[in-house]
């Protein structure tokens, strides 16, 4: 059988290897329009490649997917993070788990993962064609005509599209009867010019809570102050879950930040009142009584109208209440977003009801398979998007290897 795979990313490569290993009689060709394959794998995780997440329970794992959680349960039971770890380790690549559950190669270099995948593909006899832009696909009797730009069409028995968030591919699929959920950005950072954050770029808080007032959108995690506003896992998670809603707001909305995680305003007022007595003679600005950077603490005090020379004993009720609000419910005006380039993901793609998730085959077109970000599936950061790619690629590869 001749198998065509369009797209040389994580899902496409994994499918190609799986198919070729499962059925050596298959002649598998990857068509990649760029100059290199696995580019997103190469740059992800700051060049370390966050391969997957140490969440081996499928029912827990699906909770990290704003879109696709219900559909992915069955596939994850077949091939989830545990199987991914085993797959790489059997090929000589050990993975390690960090404190937050993210898994990386022990080498801390994404090239380790790229080399492993390329070596496995080569050993399995997969042909990789670079600079090969597929501009047309057409269903033929018992297969597909695939036309690469500048070449005559070639026949393939089965076809996998794993082109990521490709508008051109989505348009081709529309002509074949598929419906596309319009894509919007996911995993982005928030822009704000709030003076409380001025010159604080690089500061981080280990556990903050962020939410959009008036809607059920909130997330927790580390929070990072950047040159343009706010980033870090808490913001990225919120952007993923709120991708469509924030798009309708044109990325202009109020953001409420609890710098102390889930601690309530009432609890912080009590703690501040206790400090008013226990630290009575000390200057409020001198020391941080919470796990916050000193400069951030001092900016929040300025916003609460607390003078620099004030002692704890001299805090009045209004100042104390304002301090509590700045710590637990500081509102920032968000005026735009910035792309989180390493983890660029979109919410949108082929409607999931049009896919058979036992095989990742199209329900509209026989012998057509779809995997990766071409589907309306996405996750928060932490290795979850790659896991969806490995899983989809593996199941599609197995299915394509079968005769008939």
């Amino acid at each position: 059988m001749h198998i065509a795979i369009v797209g040389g990313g994580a899902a496409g490569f994994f499918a190609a290897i799986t198919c070729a290993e499962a059925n050596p009689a298959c002649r598998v060709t990857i068509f990649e329009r760029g100059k290199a394959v696995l580019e997103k794998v190469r740059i992800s995780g700051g060049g370390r490649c966050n391969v997957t997440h140490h969440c081996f329970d499928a029912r827990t794992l699906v909770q990290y997917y704003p879109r696709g959680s219900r559909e992915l349960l069955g596939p994850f039971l077949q091939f989830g993070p545990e199987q991914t770890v085993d797959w790489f380790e059997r090929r000589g690549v050990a993975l390690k788990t960090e404190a937050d559950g993210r898994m990386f190669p022990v080498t801390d270099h994404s090239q380790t993962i790229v080399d492993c995948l390329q070596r496995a593909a080569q050993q399995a006899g997969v042909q990789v064609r670079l600079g090969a832009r597929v501009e047309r696909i057409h269903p033929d009797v018992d297969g597909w005509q695939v036309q690469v730009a500048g070449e005559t069409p070639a026949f393939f028995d089965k076809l996998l599209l794993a082109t990521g968030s490709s508008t051109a591919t989505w348009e081709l699929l529309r002509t074949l009867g598929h419906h596309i959920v319009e894509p919007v950005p996911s995993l982005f950072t928030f822009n704000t010019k709030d003076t409380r954050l001025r010159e604080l770029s690089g500061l981080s808080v280990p556990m903050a809570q962020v939410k959009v007032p008036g809607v059920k959108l909130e997330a927790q995690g580390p929070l990072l102050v950047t040159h343009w506003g706010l980033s870090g896992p808490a913001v990225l998670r919120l952007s993923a879950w709120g991708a469509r809603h924030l798009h309708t707001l044109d990325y202009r909305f109020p953001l409420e930040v609890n710098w102390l995680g889930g601690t309530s305003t009432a609890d912080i007022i009590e703690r501040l009142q206790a400090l008013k007595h226990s630290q009575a003679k000390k200057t409020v600005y001198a020391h941080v009584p919470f796990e916050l950077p000193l400069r951030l603490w001092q900016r929040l005090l300025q916003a609460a109208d607390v003078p620099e020379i004030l002692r704890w004993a001299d805090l009045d009720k209004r100042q104390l209440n304002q301090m509590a609000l700045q710590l637990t419910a500081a509102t920032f005006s968000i005026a735009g977003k910035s792309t989180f380039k390493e983890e660029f993901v979109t919410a949108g793609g082929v409607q999931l009801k049009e896919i058979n998730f036992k095989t990742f085959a199209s329900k509209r077109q026989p012998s057509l398979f779809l995997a990766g970000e071409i589907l309306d599936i996405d996750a928060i950061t932490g290795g979850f998007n790659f896991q969806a790619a490995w899983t989809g690629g593996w199941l599609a590869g197995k299915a394509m290897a079968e005769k008939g």
Side-chain angles (χ1 to χ4, degrees), residues 270-283 289 311-313:
E270 282 188 20
R271 290 175 64 178
L272 293 174
Q273 287 172 335
L275 288 163
K276 182 175 165 67
H277 298 289
S278 64
Q279 307 290 320
K281 294 183 179 181
K282 293 184 178 180
T283 305
R311 298 181 306 165
W312 279 97

Side-chain angles (χ1 to χ4, degrees), residues 62-63 65-75 352-353 357:
V62 296
Q63 296 174 18
Y65 294 79
R67 286 148 291 272
S69 58
R70 182 173 62 84
E71 292 82 2
L72 286 173
L73 178 58
L352 302 187
K353 65 182 181 181
F357 280 91

Side-chain angles (χ1 to χ4, degrees), residues 306-326:
V306 176
E308 288 189 29
I309 59 173
L310 201 71
R311 298 181 306 165
W312 279 97
D314 299 326
L315 275 172
D316 61 32
K317 185 177 180 180
R318 182 189 62 82
Q319 291 168 326
L320 191 143
N321 287 339
Q322 283 300 310
M323 286 171 61
L325 287 173
Q326 288 295 327

Side-chain angles (χ1 to χ4, degrees), residues 35-364:
K35 296 179 181 179
V37 292
L38 300 166
E39 278 301 282
K40 197 164 184 179
V41 173
R42 198 185 310 274
I43 66 172
S44 73
R48 295 196 300 148
C49 186
N50 185 182
V51 177
T52 186
H53 195 280
H54 196 276
C55 179
F56 291 174
D57 178 70
R59 287 171 178 80
T60 303
L61 183 62
V62 296
Q63 296 174 18
Y64 295 98
Y65 294 79
R67 286 148 291 272
S69 58
R70 182 173 62 84
E71 292 82 2
L72 286 173
L73 178 58
F76 284 153
L77 289 169
Q78 294 292 313
F79 192 94
E82 188 172 9
Q83 288 74 29
T84 299
V85 172
D86 179 65
W87 192 96
F88 281 103
E89 289 190 342
R90 282 189 286 111
R91 289 160 176 79
V93 177
L95 303 181
K96 62 177 180 177
T97 305
E98 301 202 336
D100 58 3
R102 293 180 302 161
M103 299 193 73
F104 296 86
V106 294
T107 61
D108 272 333
H109 289 295
S110 60
Q111 193 63 42
T112 303
I113 302 299
V114 173
D115 290 345
C116 174
L117 291 167
Q118 289 187 310
R119 186 166 55 248
Q122 185 177 24
Q123 290 173 349
V126 175
Q127 181 183 7
V128 179
R129 293 196 51 198
L130 299 177
R133 179 170 60 85
V134 173
E135 59 182 14
R136 187 170 177 268
I137 56 174
H138 183 71
D140 201 342
V141 179
D142 297 326
W144 290 85
Q145 292 289 339
V146 177
Q147 183 169 4
V148 174
E151 300 179 11
T152 56
F155 177 83
F156 291 88
D157 297 282
K158 296 175 183 178
L159 169 65
L160 168 71
L161 299 179
T163 52
S165 303
S166 168
T167 303
T169 306
W170 284 327
E171 287 304 317
L172 286 175
L173 286 169
R174 279 193 175 100
T175 67
L176 297 172
H178 276 287
H179 295 85
I180 309 300
V181 178
E182 287 302 318
V184 298
S186 182
L187 296 183
F188 48 84
T189 60
F190 298 161
N191 298 349
T192 179
K193 295 182 179 180
D194 196 291
T195 55
R196 285 170 290 183
L197 304 180
R198 189 172 296 165
E199 297 177 358
L200 295 185
S201 178
L203 292 187
S204 63
V205 172
M207 182 56 66
Q209 182 185 69
V210 291
K211 62 182 178 181
V212 180
V215 293
K216 293 182 179 180
L217 271 180
E218 65 177 65
Q220 284 191 333
L223 188 61
L224 173 68
V225 180
T226 67
H227 288 293
W228 56 87
L230 294 166
S231 184
V235 164
L236 294 170
R237 289 168 187 165
L238 189 71
S239 77
W241 287 103
R244 295 210 167 274
H245 181 71
L246 299 181
H247 178 73
T248 65
L249 299 177
D250 194 28
Y251 309 104
R252 297 179 183 276
F253 55 93
L255 181 73
E256 189 176 292
V257 177
N258 184 331
W259 297 100
L260 304 176
T263 311
S264 70
T265 304
D267 286 344
I268 294 303
I269 288 175
E270 282 188 20
R271 290 175 64 178
L272 293 174
Q273 287 172 335
L275 288 163
K276 182 175 165 67
H277 298 289
S278 64
Q279 307 290 320
K281 294 183 179 181
K282 293 184 178 180
T283 305
V284 181
Y285 271 72
H287 302 284
V288 189
F290 305 101
E291 197 172 353
L292 294 175
L294 178 62
R295 286 194 294 151
L296 175 61
W297 165 250
Q298 292 174 346
R299 284 293 178 81
L300 296 177
L301 292 178
Q302 290 174 9
D305 291 327
V306 176
E308 288 189 29
I309 59 173
L310 201 71
R311 298 181 306 165
W312 279 97
D314 299 326
L315 275 172
D316 61 32
K317 185 177 180 180
R318 182 189 62 82
Q319 291 168 326
L320 191 143
N321 287 339
Q322 283 300 310
M323 286 171 61
L325 287 173
Q326 288 295 327
L327 288 164
T328 62
T331 300
F332 295 84
S333 179
I334 303 303
K337 62 173 178 58
S338 292
T339 301
F340 190 59
K341 292 183 174 60
E342 287 183 359
E343 302 283 356
F344 179 68
V345 171
T346 58
V350 177
Q351 283 189 357
L352 302 187
K353 65 182 181 181
E354 300 175 357
I355 304 299
N356 176 354
F357 280 91
K358 291 182 179 179
T359 61
F360 280 73
S362 164
K363 293 179 181 178
R364 304 283 190 195

Side-chain angles (χ1 to χ4, degrees), residues 27-39:
R27 296 184 61 182
V28 183
T29 305
I30 295 175
F31 296 95
E32 168 56 48
R33 67 180 299 172
K35 296 179 181 179
V37 292
L38 300 166
E39 278 301 282

